[in-house]
Amino acid sequence: MILSPFLLPLLLLAGSAKADVSFILGRELKAWGQLTGAKAPFVVEPPKATRFSGYLSDWSQDCSAACGLPAPGTLNVPVELELDLRLKPGQAVSAKRRHVFGSNLEAEVSLFAVCPHGTAGLQEICPGLYFQAQVQLKGEAEAFCGAALDRADAWPFPVLQCAGPGRARPGRRFGVTLHREPLKALMPTAR
């Protein structure tokens, strides 16, 4: 087994209390431990709960003629979701967060972790583990959006947009964006 140079800092981090990279590198760390005979911290178990942290922002878009650039609404609402990823084949877990924006737009964000049937995953993170991110909009706009994601796309937070036509304001689209880094307003808010 050849380890790429970027793994060494991550292997060193795995032993510190400040970082838990076992979620991303669980199998690689276990293989490293088997290869070298090293004991903990290199042979790690999945954390009891993995935290997904990011932001939720709403926006609107004038689509009366041709859709223009979206205008920001409320930016950077912090969202934290925790999932226990110690799953056996056929198990799934979920976490939800609901937020109502000032534009009367309600967004419910759901994150699911799924360990499919037929995968070995008794003591380590399920090797076939995948995620489903979903957003349901109600109020000013109604929509349902979702995406199936692998570990790298889901953690530290999924990135996704969801939007629907305005119910009370024809020609206007309302939506939300899930994002990992705080956004900066580039334009004035237009509601």
Side-chain angles (χ1 to χ4, degrees), residues 83-141:
L83 295 175
D84 184 347
L85 300 180
R86 297 173 299 167
L87 300 173
K88 294 180 181 171
Q91 291 182 322
V93 293
S94 67
K96 293 183 181 190
R97 167 79 192 278
R98 182 179 158 270
H99 185 79
V100 179
F101 293 95
S103 61
N104 193 31
L105 181 67
E106 177 184 329
E108 183 175 88
V109 177
S110 302
L111 184 62
F112 299 83
V114 180
C115 182
H117 288 283
T119 59
L122 299 177
Q123 298 206 351
E124 62 182 62
I125 292 176
C126 172
L129 183 70
Y130 71 93
F131 297 87
Q132 176 78 221
Q134 298 178 353
V135 178
Q136 183 167 3
L137 300 179
K138 295 180 183 175
E140 183 62 47

Side-chain angles (χ1 to χ4, degrees), residues 59-70 164-165 169-174:
W59 48 269
S60 64
Q61 187 176 29
D62 182 3
C63 292
S64 53
C67 291
L69 289 174
R169 296 187 240 179
R172 193 144 200 94
R173 181 184 296 164
F174 292 86

Side-chain angles (χ1 to χ4, degrees), residues 22-190:
S22 63
F23 168 66
I24 300 296
L25 297 174
R27 291 170 60 192
E28 288 82 357
L29 290 172
K30 185 174 181 180
W32 172 259
Q34 290 171 344
L35 178 68
T36 63
K39 302 292 182 210
F42 297 110
V43 180
V44 294
E45 296 221 359
K48 180 174 181 177
T50 297
R51 179 173 288 143
F52 295 79
S53 298
Y55 302 93
L56 179 64
S57 297
D58 79 320
W59 48 269
S60 64
Q61 187 176 29
D62 182 3
C63 292
S64 53
C67 291
L69 289 174
T74 303
L75 296 179
N76 306 322
V77 175
V79 177
E80 286 193 3
L81 302 168
E82 284 191 10
L83 295 175
D84 184 347
L85 300 180
R86 297 173 299 167
L87 300 173
K88 294 180 181 171
Q91 291 182 322
V93 293
S94 67
K96 293 183 181 190
R97 167 79 192 278
R98 182 179 158 270
H99 185 79
V100 179
F101 293 95
S103 61
N104 193 31
L105 181 67
E106 177 184 329
E108 183 175 88
V109 177
S110 302
L111 184 62
F112 299 83
V114 180
C115 182
H117 288 283
T119 59
L122 299 177
Q123 298 206 351
E124 62 182 62
I125 292 176
C126 172
L129 183 70
Y130 71 93
F131 297 87
Q132 176 78 221
Q134 298 178 353
V135 178
Q136 183 167 3
L137 300 179
K138 295 180 183 175
E140 183 62 47
E142 292 195 12
F144 178 83
C145 307
L149 308 167
D150 64 15
R151 293 176 194 178
D153 289 330
W155 190 83
F157 196 71
V159 175
L160 182 68
Q161 287 186 323
C162 189
R167 295 176 60 179
R169 296 187 240 179
R172 193 144 200 94
R173 181 184 296 164
F174 292 86
V176 298
T177 300
L178 280 65
H179 47 100
R180 294 177 177 179
E181 299 293 328
L183 299 177
K184 296 178 183 174
L186 299 176
M187 310 166 149
T189 302

